[in-house]
Amino acid sequence: MTVRPTQSTSLNAARRSADLARLEECPEIDVLVVGGGVTGAGAALDAASRGLSTVLVERYDLAFGTSRWSSKLVHGGLRYLARGQFGIAYESARERDLLMTVTAPHLVRTLPMVIPVHRDTPAAHALLMWAGTGMGDVLRRAAGTRSAVLPPPRLLTPAQTRRLLPGVAEDGLRGGLLSFDGQLVDDARLVVALARTAAGHGAGVITRCSAQSVTADGVLLRDERTGRLVPVRPRAVVNATGVHAGELDPDVRLRPSRGSHLVVDSAALGDPRAALTVPVDGGTSRFVFALPQADGRVYVGLTDEPVEGEPPHVPTVPEDDVDFLLAQVNRALRTRLGRDDVRGSFAGLRPLLQADGNSADLSREHAVTVSAHGTVTVVGGKLTTYRAMAEEAVDTAVRERRLNAGPCRTRDLPLVGAADRAELADLAAPRRLVARYGTEAPAVLAGAGADPALLEPVACGVTGAELRFGVRHEGALDVDDLLERRTRVALVDSDRESARSAAEAALADAG
Ligand SMILES: Cc1cc2nc3c(=O)[nH]c(=O)nc-3n(C[C@H](O)[C@H](O)[C@H](O)COP(=O)(O)OP(=O)(O)OC[C@H]3O[C@@H](n4cnc5c(N)ncnc54)[C@H](O)[C@@H]3O)c2cc1C
């Protein structure tokens, strides 16, 4: 049975104030979720949809942390299979299927991915990689994903390879290995959709609100807008603060690893229609990707470097990472990318669980732990598996804190904007908007009212109507929320400047 929200899913400054005031008035709630990334927003939705009184607090903004810096792939779990981790590989494929068919079909598209094969590619390597794509397809079928959603892999001729990857090096090109995976139009939009859907099920969603301390007596929150301290007494606390999880539970030990991406113009790679997949240094186990995006850009990623010391809140991309990524992707390109082609860059920190050995060997699995005074920490994993992690975390909280709640309902719970592909195809709105807002795309257009200027792009195809929607319904409180997270305009500095005044106007219009 499909579970639908019963309350408004709109987030905005007025709702934030009301949620905060309600929490101050009634500090005894069932579940407080700390951290508004994909894991925390998923946990808030899980708890609220079970009927638990739930509040999600986030120090900055929804998707402020790692969740907006991912590669935006909805993985089938092939890399886990390669390491013999069958359970997690299957879980990943199953969660991918749910995201693409039930929870967020509007936000996830089918992405063709091509590994070009050149004369100097060792035959054994090509065979191994082809076997890998075959195993990925076994996983797809095991998870019940239809081939209409993710077609099976196939071999490409050189001409077919060039058609999908016009920028590929032609010298010695023998063909390509084509496979398919899921790709989010925007990871931050998934987080916002989760938080809004949670709000629709009654959760309070309070951004600019940090957890200062968690003890057996309760949690001390701080309203970051006013500096006011707000003590609360939740029956259960879910710590979903990603790489900062150890600040609330010192027993949780993480060793974050930095993953960097470069932003380049799609035209610099000949406007690829597939992800170019390049084996690092000609090996077979690690890859650099050139991932085409919906806004005329390509993201080239990614690195995997251990980060020592206190993890920064906004990581930056070091020069070494730029050099590494350019060198690797250039091995497969006809016209080399240079520093001048890099329009922007971003880095995220993987919340990896502490283990012995190198970063590449650390566990990508998630953990759900319970502290001495009962705080449930959920950390690690992947964006793709957020729902399963949230389910386990809330199950643990219900069990440990003896909460009165039913079973998890999120498997059948479409996020705000979701619909099946046929319904999405019939919507009377531009495809670009449907891919970002799903069934809400007509409402985004209607929000422009009588002002046609709001339908004109301000940067990267983003319109003033989208910015207005971000303020009125998606909880954006300032220019950065709008340009860095409700849209991704700010990934390129010049785009941010082009859109700044429209963002300010959208905020003034709401105020
Ligand atoms: C470079 C890179 C690429 C990746 N690519 C993929 C991919 O393609 N596919 C995939 O499935 N996964 C991918 N991942 C993994 C995935 O992005 C992460 O596992 C996931 O985003 C982690 O989400 P989270 O909610 O646990 O953490 P975060 O997104 O970091 O959220 C934690 C939040 O907690 C907040 N917070 C911290 N302390 C407090 C406090 N005291 N009070 C209130 N709030 C607080 C932070 O501000 C932050 O918003 C990638 C990871 C990286 C680094």
Side-chain angles (χ1 to χ4, degrees):
M1 190 190 68
T2 299
V3 190
R4 297 276 174 197
T6 53
Q7 300 185 24
S8 166
T9 57
S10 294
L11 297 177
N12 46 49
R15 179 133 181 206
R16 175 191 179 277
S17 301
D19 283 345
L20 187 56
R22 195 161 43 147
L23 184 62
E24 285 188 271
E25 237 170 70
C26 311
E28 289 183 359
I29 54 170
D30 287 328
V31 182
L32 177 78
V33 181
V34 185
V38 73
T39 311
L45 174 57
D46 188 300
S49 60
R50 296 187 198 211
L52 293 165
S53 60
T54 303
V55 172
L56 170 69
V57 293
E58 157 58 47
R59 190 200 305 263
Y60 301 107
D61 181 28
L62 296 170
F64 187 88
T66 299
S67 297
R68 69 174 148 143
W69 302 130
S70 80
S71 303
K72 294 148 194 48
L73 294 174
V74 179
H75 291 293
L78 181 56
R79 65 194 63 188
Y80 300 120
L81 204 59
R83 291 203 294 264
Q85 296 172 299
F86 299 106
I88 186 169
Y90 172 71
E91 177 177 79
S92 206
R94 199 196 55 198
E95 293 299 325
R96 176 180 66 180
D97 185 69
L98 279 181
L99 268 164
M100 295 188 81
T101 60
V102 181
T103 41
H106 58 311
L107 296 178
V108 190
R109 72 170 188 131
T110 304
L111 175 71
M113 307 187 74
V114 177
I115 307 175
V117 177
H118 287 91
R119 203 182 307 117
D120 58 2
T121 309
H125 286 190
L127 268 175
L128 203 62
M129 292 187 289
W130 181 236
T133 59
M135 275 157 63
D137 200 48
V138 171
L139 269 180
R140 168 188 71 83
R141 277 182 276 134
T145 307
R146 287 175 296 118
S147 54
V149 177
L150 287 174
R154 59 177 196 271
L155 294 170
L156 299 177
T157 64
Q160 289 169 327
T161 307
R162 274 194 298 272
R163 217 167 296 136
L164 287 174
L165 301 173
V168 72
E170 286 182 288
D171 195 20
L173 182 66
R174 295 176 65 184
L177 315 178
L178 171 67
S179 60
F180 296 86
D181 219 333
Q183 184 188 35
L184 280 160
V185 65
D186 183 346
D187 42 13
R189 294 202 63 76
L190 173 66
V191 178
V192 172
L194 281 163
R196 289 185 56 205
T197 311
H201 285 271
V205 177
I206 309 174
T207 57
R208 311 294 198 283
C209 182
S210 61
Q212 300 287 299
S213 64
V214 183
T215 64
D217 297 330
V219 180
L220 190 61
L221 300 177
R222 182 174 192 270
D223 177 356
E224 298 291 341
R225 293 195 113 184
T226 62
R228 211 173 54 238
L229 295 175
V230 181
V232 290
R233 288 190 301 281
R235 286 173 198 92
V237 178
V238 175
N239 170 18
T241 53
V243 287
H244 304 284
E247 291 169 23
L248 296 184
D249 180 354
D251 288 340
V252 176
R253 280 200 297 280
L254 301 172
R255 180 150 176 245
S257 134
R258 184 186 61 247
S260 300
H261 287 86
L262 310 179
V263 182
V264 299
D265 283 333
S266 170
L269 290 96
D271 292 317
R273 290 160 51 205
L276 167 65
T277 308
V278 186
V280 168
D281 292 333
T284 56
S285 57
R286 198 179 152 203
F287 299 90
V288 160
F289 303 100
L291 300 157
Q293 307 297 313
D295 58 3
R297 310 269 191 232
V298 168
Y299 299 160
V300 177
L302 71 171
T303 58
D304 192 350
E305 295 297 328
V307 173
E308 306 300 339
E310 196 58 29
H313 287 265
V314 181
T316 50
V317 178
E319 294 297 305
D320 284 358
D321 285 16
V322 180
D323 291 340
F324 169 81
L325 291 170
L326 288 178
Q328 294 299 331
V329 77
N330 278 336
R331 295 176 41 249
L333 293 179
R334 193 173 57 238
T335 308
R336 293 170 67 81
L337 293 176
R339 288 271 175 159
D340 291 351
D341 294 304
V342 179
R343 304 287 312 276
S345 60
F346 59 88
L349 300 181
R350 297 176 187 85
L352 299 185
L353 301 166
Q354 180 71 277
D356 295 330
N358 294 330
S359 167
D361 299 325
L362 290 179
S363 172
R364 256 78 170 164
E365 286 178 65
H366 69 267
V368 175
T369 63
V370 185
S371 76
H373 50 255
T375 300
V376 176
T377 292
V378 51
V379 71
K382 300 293 277 181
L383 200 113
T384 308
T385 52
Y386 80 86
R387 197 207 60 79
M389 289 166 64
E391 176 177 353
E392 193 181 330
V394 177
D395 276 347
T396 306
V398 166
R399 196 178 55 242
E400 292 284 326
R401 312 303 293 172
R402 296 201 172 84
L403 303 178
N404 186 10
C408 173
R409 302 169 77 191
T410 53
R411 261 192 211 88
D412 306 313
L413 203 158
L415 303 187
V416 62
D420 66 36
R421 284 169 199 276
E423 195 182 326
L424 292 171
D426 281 350
L427 286 169
R431 291 302 94 190
R432 185 186 157 280
L433 282 189
V434 174
R436 304 177 61 78
Y437 299 87
T439 56
E440 293 194 317
V444 176
L445 285 178
D451 187 353
L454 287 177
L455 299 176
E456 295 299 320
V458 293
C460 284
V462 172
T463 61
E466 288 164 68
L467 300 173
R468 177 181 272 188
F469 193 81
V471 176
R472 291 183 176 176
H473 303 288
E474 296 182 332
L477 299 179
D478 66 17
V479 168
D480 286 347
D481 291 359
L482 282 173
L483 301 185
E484 296 194 4
R485 292 168 289 273
R486 301 310 175 278
T487 70
R488 306 312 292 272
V489 162
L491 282 173
V492 173
D493 286 345
S494 55
D495 290 341
R496 178 203 289 264
E497 287 319 306
S498 308
R500 177 180 292 280
S501 60
E504 286 165 353
L507 287 154
D509 166 70

